[in-house]
Amino acid sequence: MNITCLKNHLLKALNLSSSQMGKNQNIPILQGGFLKTQKNQLSIETTNLESSLRVFIQVKTEKEGEIIAPIKTLMNLISNLKDEKIKLEKKDNNLEILSQNSKALIKCYPLEEFPSFPSIGEGIKINIPIKDLIAGLKPTANFVSKNETKPEISSIFIFNKENFLNFAATDSFRLSEKKVNFIEEKNFSFLIPSKHSQELIKILESGENPQETAEITINQNQILFKGRDFEYLSVLTSGEFPEYKKLIPDSFVSEALVSLKDLTEAIRSSTIFSNRLNEIFLFLNKEKQNLEIKTLNADLGEYSAKFPAQIKGDSLNLTFNCEYLLDGLENFKTDEISLNFAGETKPLLIKSSQDSSLLYLIMPMKNY
């Protein structure tokens, strides 16, 4: 192997690759990355045995070859180099890195010990714009359960129905659903583990052109995402996602139309004074057509804010987790949102009055 590449391109690829390295100290080879050159392209493979990533960058190749290099050592070195162009050359089982004023020799791992990139085989193949994939994953990835003893709700449920690709996640206290336009005759559904969906978002957002299309191959146990400069393979979660549609109320006792900016800013300020349970109290006043929020902390003090709301239905008093409420609101991008109350002990449904593709459901904590 003997190549010349741009520092920024290599460093970006190494940063992505490092997130896929195995954490098991008993398998040191997983701290390495499989570097391989073919023609004028360098690929870097990393794996943690549950997910695997292959990224590609353009290089000038003088001699093709392959080597297993320690990713963090290589990344730390490259990040400290000042030159724009860097030369990498294999010397026996070492990797020599040359810049204009420096030279380093990194000891590498035996080639035969690195796990090969998994082959997914046959499966359902679909294509989707990367921007739509990001749009579906980001509003749902943070709302999965942190309890991995229930893997089906520690995952994002993705399925197609009625010309939409649906993304859903829940941790039993809240639920988020996002729909993106998608016309595909093939029926499919799968559960992708939360930690892998978070990594996938980073990979997708690192691309320079979100208008590009990702090719996805799905089989019973694995899923492969392929873009112009990456391939990402993840195991899938086995099990059944809850029938979450039954959790969404279809009738409401009150509805409040409020400014998203006003509500978000008020709740963000209120978190300063929240107690150890993160309680926030909501007072819906139909007569005065306003919404009041309040937080109390025995050690710090209290906070309250009122703002106009177009209210239909009953006046209500409810208590929510302020962090959970804020997490959901931050995914909406419209000027106004609709707060739909099914009752003081039933879920609150939040949706946009201008965009029906996203909804957020949150359970109240208790009556005030």
Side-chain angles (χ1 to χ4, degrees), residues 105-116:
L105 193 70
I106 298 177
K107 293 184 177 181
C108 296
Y109 298 101
L111 268 171
E112 63 274 9
E113 293 183 9
F114 194 79
S116 58

Side-chain angles (χ1 to χ4, degrees), residues 20-264:
Q20 293 303 309
M21 295 189 311
K23 303 296 190 292
N24 190 337
Q25 298 298 321
N26 296 322
I27 313 178
I29 191 71
L30 298 184
Q31 301 294 308
F34 180 27
L35 279 64
K36 182 177 181 178
T37 53
Q38 285 185 313
K39 297 183 179 179
N40 286 323
Q41 188 178 71
L42 170 69
S43 65
I44 304 175
E45 293 179 20
T46 46
T47 183
N48 55 34
L49 302 182
E50 289 187 355
S51 61
S52 300
L53 174 65
R54 181 187 282 146
V55 294
F56 306 95
I57 62 169
Q58 296 302 307
V59 298
K60 180 181 178 181
T61 302
E62 295 181 26
K63 183 180 180 181
E64 294 184 350
E66 51 193 39
I67 197 166
I68 312 296
I71 290 295
K72 284 193 174 179
T73 303
L74 181 57
M75 185 170 63
N76 290 338
L77 174 65
I78 299 301
S79 64
N80 284 306
L81 297 179
K82 296 181 179 179
D83 296 342
E84 182 182 352
K85 291 185 178 180
I86 300 168
K87 186 173 183 179
L88 280 68
E89 185 174 358
K90 182 178 179 180
K91 296 287 185 72
D92 296 324
N93 197 41
N94 302 314
L95 185 63
E96 184 178 72
I97 296 91
L98 295 169
S99 64
Q100 186 173 353
N101 299 310
S102 67
K103 178 172 73 172
L105 193 70
I106 298 177
K107 293 184 177 181
C108 296
Y109 298 101
L111 268 171
E112 63 274 9
E113 293 183 9
F114 194 79
S116 58
F117 197 89
S119 174
I120 193 169
E122 295 297 321
I124 296 173
K125 292 186 182 293
I126 60 173
N127 292 281
I128 181 171
I130 286 176
K131 65 178 180 62
D132 289 345
L133 201 49
I134 295 171
L137 289 169
K138 289 193 75 172
T140 51
N142 291 326
F143 302 116
V144 301
S145 173
K146 302 298 187 290
N147 183 358
E148 294 190 357
T149 61
K150 296 182 177 180
E152 64 277 4
I153 61 171
S154 296
S155 306
I156 299 178
F157 181 43
I158 303 175
F159 64 98
N160 67 320
K161 186 177 181 181
E162 298 175 352
N163 295 334
F164 288 103
L165 189 59
N166 300 262
F167 300 74
T170 183
D171 60 4
S172 298
F173 303 104
R174 52 198 174 152
L175 181 146
S176 180
E177 181 195 61
K178 174 67 177 180
K179 297 179 179 181
V180 298
N181 292 325
F182 181 74
I183 300 176
E184 176 62 64
E185 294 181 358
K186 304 167 187 173
N187 291 320
F188 60 87
S189 64
F190 57 88
L191 290 164
I192 184 167
S194 170
K195 56 186 176 182
H196 298 168
S197 65
Q198 296 281 7
E199 294 302 330
L200 178 59
I201 291 170
K202 293 178 187 176
I203 296 164
L204 296 172
E205 289 189 324
S206 71
E208 296 180 358
N209 185 4
Q211 301 299 326
E212 291 179 356
T213 296
E215 179 186 279
I216 304 174
T217 304
I218 311 157
N219 69 18
Q220 187 174 359
N221 303 309
Q222 296 174 310
I223 185 166
L224 176 66
F225 299 86
K226 293 179 68 174
R228 180 174 56 87
D229 51 8
F230 73 89
E231 295 178 4
Y232 180 70
L233 185 139
S234 166
V235 297
L236 294 177
T237 302
S238 59
E240 295 290 331
F241 195 74
E243 294 186 33
Y244 73 93
K245 293 287 188 181
K246 294 181 179 180
L247 304 175
I248 302 173
D250 54 11
S251 61
F252 304 95
V253 298
S254 297
E255 178 185 344
L257 193 64
V258 299
S259 162
L260 175 61
K261 182 175 182 290
D262 290 347
L263 181 58
T264 302

